[in-house]
PDB file of all heavy atoms in Angstrom:
ATOM      1  N   GLU A 572      -3.985  38.128 -44.277  1.00  0.00           N
ATOM      2  CA  GLU A 572      -3.265  37.835 -43.011  1.00  0.00           C
ATOM      3  C   GLU A 572      -3.873  38.618 -41.843  1.00  0.00           C
ATOM      4  O   GLU A 572      -4.054  38.096 -40.762  1.00  0.00           O
ATOM      5  CB  GLU A 572      -1.784  38.194 -43.105  1.00  0.00           C
ATOM      6  CG  GLU A 572      -1.002  37.285 -44.125  1.00  0.00           C
ATOM      7  CD  GLU A 572      -1.249  35.780 -43.827  1.00  0.00           C
ATOM      8  OE1 GLU A 572      -1.176  35.391 -42.627  1.00  0.00           O
ATOM      9  OE2 GLU A 572      -1.534  35.093 -44.778  1.00  0.00           O
ATOM     10  N   ASN A 573      -4.264  39.860 -42.088  1.00  0.00           N
ATOM     11  CA  ASN A 573      -4.871  40.698 -41.070  1.00  0.00           C
ATOM     12  C   ASN A 573      -6.135  40.172 -40.534  1.00  0.00           C
ATOM     13  O   ASN A 573      -6.373  40.057 -39.292  1.00  0.00           O
ATOM     14  CB  ASN A 573      -5.022  42.129 -41.604  1.00  0.00           C
ATOM     15  CG  ASN A 573      -5.350  43.146 -40.560  1.00  0.00           C
ATOM     16  OD1 ASN A 573      -5.109  42.918 -39.395  1.00  0.00           O
ATOM     17  ND2 ASN A 573      -5.888  44.254 -40.975  1.00  0.00           N
ATOM     18  N   VAL A 574      -7.047  39.748 -41.492  1.00  0.00           N
ATOM     19  CA  VAL A 574      -8.345  39.241 -41.085  1.00  0.00           C
ATOM     20  C   VAL A 574      -8.210  37.893 -40.307  1.00  0.00           C
ATOM     21  O   VAL A 574      -8.824  37.706 -39.264  1.00  0.00           O
ATOM     22  CB  VAL A 574      -9.254  39.074 -42.329  1.00  0.00           C
ATOM     23  CG1 VAL A 574     -10.544  38.311 -41.906  1.00  0.00           C
ATOM     24  CG2 VAL A 574      -9.600  40.409 -42.915  1.00  0.00           C
ATOM     25  N   LYS A 575      -7.311  37.071 -40.791  1.00  0.00           N
ATOM     26  CA  LYS A 575      -7.064  35.809 -40.118  1.00  0.00           C
ATOM     27  C   LYS A 575      -6.554  35.969 -38.678  1.00  0.00           C
ATOM     28  O   LYS A 575      -6.935  35.219 -37.775  1.00  0.00           O
ATOM     29  CB  LYS A 575      -6.048  34.968 -40.916  1.00  0.00           C
ATOM     30  CG  LYS A 575      -6.647  34.288 -42.126  1.00  0.00           C
ATOM     31  CD  LYS A 575      -5.558  33.475 -42.838  1.00  0.00           C
ATOM     32  CE  LYS A 575      -6.177  32.727 -44.065  1.00  0.00           C
ATOM     33  NZ  LYS A 575      -5.127  32.060 -44.840  1.00  0.00           N
ATOM     34  N   GLU A 576      -5.753  37.061 -38.510  1.00  0.00           N
ATOM     35  CA  GLU A 576      -5.261  37.335 -37.126  1.00  0.00           C
ATOM     36  C   GLU A 576      -6.392  37.785 -36.168  1.00  0.00           C
ATOM     37  O   GLU A 576      -6.338  37.504 -35.003  1.00  0.00           O
ATOM     38  CB  GLU A 576      -4.175  38.412 -37.216  1.00  0.00           C
ATOM     39  CG  GLU A 576      -2.805  37.922 -37.554  1.00  0.00           C
ATOM     40  CD  GLU A 576      -1.847  39.076 -37.766  1.00  0.00           C
ATOM     41  OE1 GLU A 576      -2.056  40.116 -37.162  1.00  0.00           O
ATOM     42  OE2 GLU A 576      -0.901  38.895 -38.547  1.00  0.00           O
ATOM     43  N   HIS A 577      -7.277  38.546 -36.725  1.00  0.00           N
ATOM     44  CA  HIS A 577      -8.281  39.256 -35.876  1.00  0.00           C
ATOM     45  C   HIS A 577      -9.628  38.609 -35.653  1.00  0.00           C
ATOM     46  O   HIS A 577     -10.369  38.998 -34.837  1.00  0.00           O
ATOM     47  CB  HIS A 577      -8.521  40.668 -36.458  1.00  0.00           C
ATOM     48  CG  HIS A 577      -7.442  41.623 -36.216  1.00  0.00           C
ATOM     49  ND1 HIS A 577      -6.297  41.669 -37.048  1.00  0.00           N
ATOM     50  CD2 HIS A 577      -7.231  42.516 -35.218  1.00  0.00           C
ATOM     51  CE1 HIS A 577      -5.454  42.576 -36.560  1.00  0.00           C
ATOM     52  NE2 HIS A 577      -6.057  43.133 -35.470  1.00  0.00           N
ATOM     53  N   ILE A 578      -9.870  37.490 -36.370  1.00  0.00           N
ATOM     54  CA  ILE A 578     -11.214  36.913 -36.177  1.00  0.00           C
ATOM     55  C   ILE A 578     -11.020  35.425 -35.700  1.00  0.00           C
ATOM     56  O   ILE A 578     -10.064  34.753 -36.083  1.00  0.00           O
ATOM     57  CB  ILE A 578     -12.078  36.970 -37.467  1.00  0.00           C
ATOM     58  CG1 ILE A 578     -11.505  36.236 -38.610  1.00  0.00           C
ATOM     59  CG2 ILE A 578     -12.384  38.447 -37.778  1.00  0.00           C
ATOM     60  CD1 ILE A 578     -12.423  36.081 -39.772  1.00  0.00           C
ATOM     61  N   GLN A 579     -12.029  35.000 -35.033  1.00  0.00           N
ATOM     62  CA  GLN A 579     -12.023  33.620 -34.516  1.00  0.00           C
ATOM     63  C   GLN A 579     -12.827  32.710 -35.474  1.00  0.00           C
ATOM     64  O   GLN A 579     -12.913  31.500 -35.243  1.00  0.00           O
ATOM     65  CB  GLN A 579     -12.633  33.556 -33.111  1.00  0.00           C
ATOM     66  CG  GLN A 579     -11.705  33.985 -32.010  1.00  0.00           C
ATOM     67  CD  GLN A 579     -11.547  35.489 -31.941  1.00  0.00           C
ATOM     68  OE1 GLN A 579     -12.539  36.196 -31.844  1.00  0.00           O
ATOM     69  NE2 GLN A 579     -10.306  35.980 -32.010  1.00  0.00           N
ATOM     70  N   GLU A 580     -13.510  33.309 -36.525  1.00  0.00           N
ATOM     71  CA  GLU A 580     -14.386  32.502 -37.324  1.00  0.00           C
ATOM     72  C   GLU A 580     -13.618  31.636 -38.296  1.00  0.00           C
ATOM     73  O   GLU A 580     -12.426  31.826 -38.545  1.00  0.00           O
ATOM     74  CB  GLU A 580     -15.303  33.474 -38.170  1.00  0.00           C
ATOM     75  CG  GLU A 580     -15.858  34.718 -37.437  1.00  0.00           C
ATOM     76  CD  GLU A 580     -16.609  34.359 -36.187  1.00  0.00           C
ATOM     77  OE1 GLU A 580     -17.106  33.189 -36.131  1.00  0.00           O
ATOM     78  OE2 GLU A 580     -16.651  35.130 -35.283  1.00  0.00           O
ATOM     79  N   ASN A 581     -14.358  30.634 -38.834  1.00  0.00           N
ATOM     80  CA  ASN A 581     -13.834  29.777 -39.929  1.00  0.00           C
ATOM     81  C   ASN A 581     -13.481  30.684 -41.109  1.00  0.00           C
ATOM     82  O   ASN A 581     -14.276  31.496 -41.554  1.00  0.00           O
ATOM     83  CB  ASN A 581     -14.822  28.717 -40.257  1.00  0.00           C
ATOM     84  CG  ASN A 581     -14.391  27.883 -41.472  1.00  0.00           C
ATOM     85  OD1 ASN A 581     -13.343  27.282 -41.471  1.00  0.00           O
ATOM     86  ND2 ASN A 581     -15.208  27.941 -42.525  1.00  0.00           N
ATOM     87  N   VAL A 582     -12.281  30.538 -41.674  1.00  0.00           N
ATOM     88  CA  VAL A 582     -11.952  31.185 -42.924  1.00  0.00           C
ATOM     89  C   VAL A 582     -11.763  30.133 -44.019  1.00  0.00           C
ATOM     90  O   VAL A 582     -10.929  29.226 -43.838  1.00  0.00           O
ATOM     91  CB  VAL A 582     -10.657  32.011 -42.737  1.00  0.00           C
ATOM     92  CG1 VAL A 582     -10.275  32.659 -44.067  1.00  0.00           C
ATOM     93  CG2 VAL A 582     -10.798  33.033 -41.683  1.00  0.00           C
ATOM     94  N   TYR A 583     -12.523  30.267 -45.085  1.00  0.00           N
ATOM     95  CA  TYR A 583     -12.437  29.300 -46.139  1.00  0.00           C
ATOM     96  C   TYR A 583     -11.031  29.373 -46.859  1.00  0.00           C
ATOM     97  O   TYR A 583     -10.539  30.440 -47.048  1.00  0.00           O
ATOM     98  CB  TYR A 583     -13.557  29.458 -47.136  1.00  0.00           C
ATOM     99  CG  TYR A 583     -14.835  28.748 -46.717  1.00  0.00           C
ATOM    100  CD1 TYR A 583     -15.930  29.466 -46.206  1.00  0.00           C
ATOM    101  CD2 TYR A 583     -14.874  27.399 -46.729  1.00  0.00           C
ATOM    102  CE1 TYR A 583     -17.079  28.823 -45.831  1.00  0.00           C
ATOM    103  CE2 TYR A 583     -16.035  26.688 -46.292  1.00  0.00           C
ATOM    104  CZ  TYR A 583     -17.125  27.384 -45.842  1.00  0.00           C
ATOM    105  OH  TYR A 583     -18.245  26.778 -45.407  1.00  0.00           O
ATOM    106  N   LYS A 584     -10.527  28.208 -47.197  1.00  0.00           N
ATOM    107  CA  LYS A 584      -9.234  28.141 -47.864  1.00  0.00           C
ATOM    108  C   LYS A 584      -9.310  28.761 -49.250  1.00  0.00           C
ATOM    109  O   LYS A 584      -8.366  29.413 -49.745  1.00  0.00           O
ATOM    110  CB  LYS A 584      -8.677  26.702 -47.919  1.00  0.00           C
ATOM    111  CG  LYS A 584      -8.388  26.057 -46.617  1.00  0.00           C
ATOM    112  CD  LYS A 584      -7.696  24.735 -46.862  1.00  0.00           C
ATOM    113  CE  LYS A 584      -7.374  23.989 -45.538  1.00  0.00           C
ATOM    114  NZ  LYS A 584      -8.641  23.595 -44.878  1.00  0.00           N
ATOM    115  N   THR A 585     -10.447  28.516 -49.889  1.00  0.00           N
ATOM    116  CA  THR A 585     -10.618  29.037 -51.225  1.00  0.00           C
ATOM    117  C   THR A 585     -10.697  30.569 -51.201  1.00  0.00           C
ATOM    118  O   THR A 585     -11.447  31.146 -50.448  1.00  0.00           O
ATOM    119  CB  THR A 585     -11.915  28.486 -51.860  1.00  0.00           C
ATOM    120  OG1 THR A 585     -11.883  27.074 -51.956  1.00  0.00           O
ATOM    121  CG2 THR A 585     -12.139  29.002 -53.307  1.00  0.00           C
ATOM    122  N   ILE A 586      -9.912  31.208 -52.073  1.00  0.00           N
ATOM    123  CA  ILE A 586      -9.984  32.645 -52.232  1.00  0.00           C
ATOM    124  C   ILE A 586     -10.434  32.972 -53.615  1.00  0.00           C
ATOM    125  O   ILE A 586      -9.937  32.456 -54.574  1.00  0.00           O
ATOM    126  CB  ILE A 586      -8.581  33.280 -51.897  1.00  0.00           C
ATOM    127  CG1 ILE A 586      -8.214  33.023 -50.463  1.00  0.00           C
ATOM    128  CG2 ILE A 586      -8.520  34.708 -52.258  1.00  0.00           C
ATOM    129  CD1 ILE A 586      -6.829  33.548 -50.028  1.00  0.00           C
ATOM    130  N   ILE A 587     -11.453  33.860 -53.695  1.00  0.00           N
ATOM    131  CA  ILE A 587     -11.997  34.146 -55.055  1.00  0.00           C
ATOM    132  C   ILE A 587     -11.195  35.286 -55.662  1.00  0.00           C
ATOM    133  O   ILE A 587     -11.041  36.378 -55.137  1.00  0.00           O
ATOM    134  CB  ILE A 587     -13.485  34.649 -54.919  1.00  0.00           C
ATOM    135  CG1 ILE A 587     -14.276  33.635 -54.052  1.00  0.00           C
ATOM    136  CG2 ILE A 587     -14.080  34.824 -56.294  1.00  0.00           C
ATOM    137  CD1 ILE A 587     -14.347  32.261 -54.638  1.00  0.00           C
ATOM    138  N   PRO A 588     -10.582  35.052 -56.845  1.00  0.00           N
ATOM    139  CA  PRO A 588      -9.702  36.052 -57.455  1.00  0.00           C
ATOM    140  C   PRO A 588     -10.463  37.205 -58.097  1.00  0.00           C
ATOM    141  O   PRO A 588     -11.703  37.085 -58.382  1.00  0.00           O
ATOM    142  CB  PRO A 588      -8.957  35.262 -58.508  1.00  0.00           C
ATOM    143  CG  PRO A 588      -9.933  34.188 -58.968  1.00  0.00           C
ATOM    144  CD  PRO A 588     -10.722  33.854 -57.719  1.00  0.00           C
ATOM    145  N   ARG A 589      -9.793  38.350 -58.264  1.00  0.00           N
ATOM    146  CA  ARG A 589     -10.365  39.367 -59.135  1.00  0.00           C
ATOM    147  C   ARG A 589     -10.292  38.875 -60.521  1.00  0.00           C
ATOM    148  O   ARG A 589      -9.198  38.548 -60.970  1.00  0.00           O
ATOM    149  CB  ARG A 589      -9.553  40.657 -58.899  1.00  0.00           C
ATOM    150  CG  ARG A 589     -10.217  41.910 -59.539  1.00  0.00           C
ATOM    151  CD  ARG A 589      -9.369  43.120 -59.210  1.00  0.00           C
ATOM    152  NE  ARG A 589      -9.574  43.576 -57.820  1.00  0.00           N
ATOM    153  CZ  ARG A 589     -10.628  44.281 -57.393  1.00  0.00           C
ATOM    154  NH1 ARG A 589     -11.618  44.556 -58.238  1.00  0.00           N
ATOM    155  NH2 ARG A 589     -10.688  44.647 -56.135  1.00  0.00           N
ATOM    156  N   ASN A 590     -11.422  38.811 -61.230  1.00  0.00           N
ATOM    157  CA  ASN A 590     -11.423  38.091 -62.526  1.00  0.00           C
ATOM    158  C   ASN A 590     -12.433  38.751 -63.469  1.00  0.00           C
ATOM    159  O   ASN A 590     -13.610  38.877 -63.105  1.00  0.00           O
ATOM    160  CB  ASN A 590     -11.838  36.637 -62.185  1.00  0.00           C
ATOM    161  CG  ASN A 590     -11.964  35.751 -63.408  1.00  0.00           C
ATOM    162  OD1 ASN A 590     -12.997  35.309 -63.847  1.00  0.00           O
ATOM    163  ND2 ASN A 590     -10.777  35.450 -64.029  1.00  0.00           N
ATOM    164  N   ILE A 591     -11.914  39.112 -64.674  1.00  0.00           N
ATOM    165  CA  ILE A 591     -12.773  39.845 -65.634  1.00  0.00           C
ATOM    166  C   ILE A 591     -13.970  39.031 -65.988  1.00  0.00           C
ATOM    167  O   ILE A 591     -15.100  39.567 -66.118  1.00  0.00           O
ATOM    168  CB  ILE A 591     -11.872  40.233 -66.870  1.00  0.00           C
ATOM    169  CG1 ILE A 591     -10.743  41.133 -66.523  1.00  0.00           C
ATOM    170  CG2 ILE A 591     -12.806  40.898 -67.944  1.00  0.00           C
ATOM    171  CD1 ILE A 591     -11.048  42.514 -66.104  1.00  0.00           C
ATOM    172  N   ARG A 592     -13.741  37.743 -66.244  1.00  0.00           N
ATOM    173  CA  ARG A 592     -14.872  36.894 -66.676  1.00  0.00           C
ATOM    174  C   ARG A 592     -15.982  36.846 -65.682  1.00  0.00           C
ATOM    175  O   ARG A 592     -17.149  36.807 -65.926  1.00  0.00           O
ATOM    176  CB  ARG A 592     -14.364  35.495 -67.057  1.00  0.00           C
ATOM    177  CG  ARG A 592     -13.201  35.492 -68.029  1.00  0.00           C
ATOM    178  CD  ARG A 592     -13.557  36.127 -69.391  1.00  0.00           C
ATOM    179  NE  ARG A 592     -14.212  35.118 -70.281  1.00  0.00           N
ATOM    180  CZ  ARG A 592     -14.785  35.470 -71.432  1.00  0.00           C
ATOM    181  NH1 ARG A 592     -14.860  36.761 -71.832  1.00  0.00           N
ATOM    182  NH2 ARG A 592     -15.315  34.566 -72.192  1.00  0.00           N
ATOM    183  N   LEU A 593     -15.554  36.797 -64.401  1.00  0.00           N
ATOM    184  CA  LEU A 593     -16.468  36.795 -63.273  1.00  0.00           C
ATOM    185  C   LEU A 593     -17.348  38.075 -63.250  1.00  0.00           C
ATOM    186  O   LEU A 593     -18.521  38.013 -63.002  1.00  0.00           O
ATOM    187  CB  LEU A 593     -15.669  36.670 -62.015  1.00  0.00           C
ATOM    188  CG  LEU A 593     -16.306  36.030 -60.791  1.00  0.00           C
ATOM    189  CD1 LEU A 593     -16.975  34.661 -61.017  1.00  0.00           C
ATOM    190  CD2 LEU A 593     -15.238  35.815 -59.695  1.00  0.00           C
ATOM    191  N   ALA A 594     -16.664  39.175 -63.560  1.00  0.00           N
ATOM    192  CA  ALA A 594     -17.414  40.474 -63.604  1.00  0.00           C
ATOM    193  C   ALA A 594     -18.342  40.601 -64.821  1.00  0.00           C
ATOM    194  O   ALA A 594     -19.415  41.220 -64.678  1.00  0.00           O
ATOM    195  CB  ALA A 594     -16.367  41.618 -63.633  1.00  0.00           C
ATOM    196  N   GLU A 595     -17.992  39.955 -65.884  1.00  0.00           N
ATOM    197  CA  GLU A 595     -18.790  40.017 -67.135  1.00  0.00           C
ATOM    198  C   GLU A 595     -20.049  39.157 -67.093  1.00  0.00           C
ATOM    199  O   GLU A 595     -21.102  39.510 -67.654  1.00  0.00           O
ATOM    200  CB  GLU A 595     -17.987  39.602 -68.309  1.00  0.00           C
ATOM    201  CG  GLU A 595     -16.864  40.572 -68.765  1.00  0.00           C
ATOM    202  CD  GLU A 595     -15.958  40.010 -69.833  1.00  0.00           C
ATOM    203  OE1 GLU A 595     -16.058  38.812 -70.134  1.00  0.00           O
ATOM    204  OE2 GLU A 595     -15.144  40.774 -70.229  1.00  0.00           O
ATOM    205  N   ALA A 596     -19.959  38.027 -66.452  1.00  0.00           N
ATOM    206  CA  ALA A 596     -21.034  36.970 -66.495  1.00  0.00           C
ATOM    207  C   ALA A 596     -22.441  37.537 -66.201  1.00  0.00           C
ATOM    208  O   ALA A 596     -23.388  37.209 -66.883  1.00  0.00           O
ATOM    209  CB  ALA A 596     -20.659  35.780 -65.610  1.00  0.00           C
ATOM    210  N   PRO A 597     -22.603  38.364 -65.126  1.00  0.00           N
ATOM    211  CA  PRO A 597     -23.985  38.758 -64.778  1.00  0.00           C
ATOM    212  C   PRO A 597     -24.645  39.547 -65.894  1.00  0.00           C
ATOM    213  O   PRO A 597     -25.934  39.477 -66.058  1.00  0.00           O
ATOM    214  CB  PRO A 597     -23.810  39.687 -63.556  1.00  0.00           C
ATOM    215  CG  PRO A 597     -22.495  39.286 -62.975  1.00  0.00           C
ATOM    216  CD  PRO A 597     -21.661  38.815 -64.136  1.00  0.00           C
TER     217      PRO A 597
END
């Protein structure tokens, strides 16, 4: 909410979750 209030840039609707599998893949 804070970032959306303070910036004029496009904010993508998709939000990347904190995800164990995402951290393991690399």
Side-chain angles (χ1 to χ4, degrees):
E572 291 311 312
N573 192 18
V574 172
K575 283 181 177 175
E576 278 173 28
H577 283 84
I578 63 171
Q579 282 77 53
E580 318 304 336
N581 175 56
V582 177
Y583 277 107
K584 292 188 183 71
T585 302
I586 294 178
I587 309 300
R589 191 176 285 282
N590 181 248
I591 298 292
R592 306 299 275 170
L593 207 48
E595 289 172 351

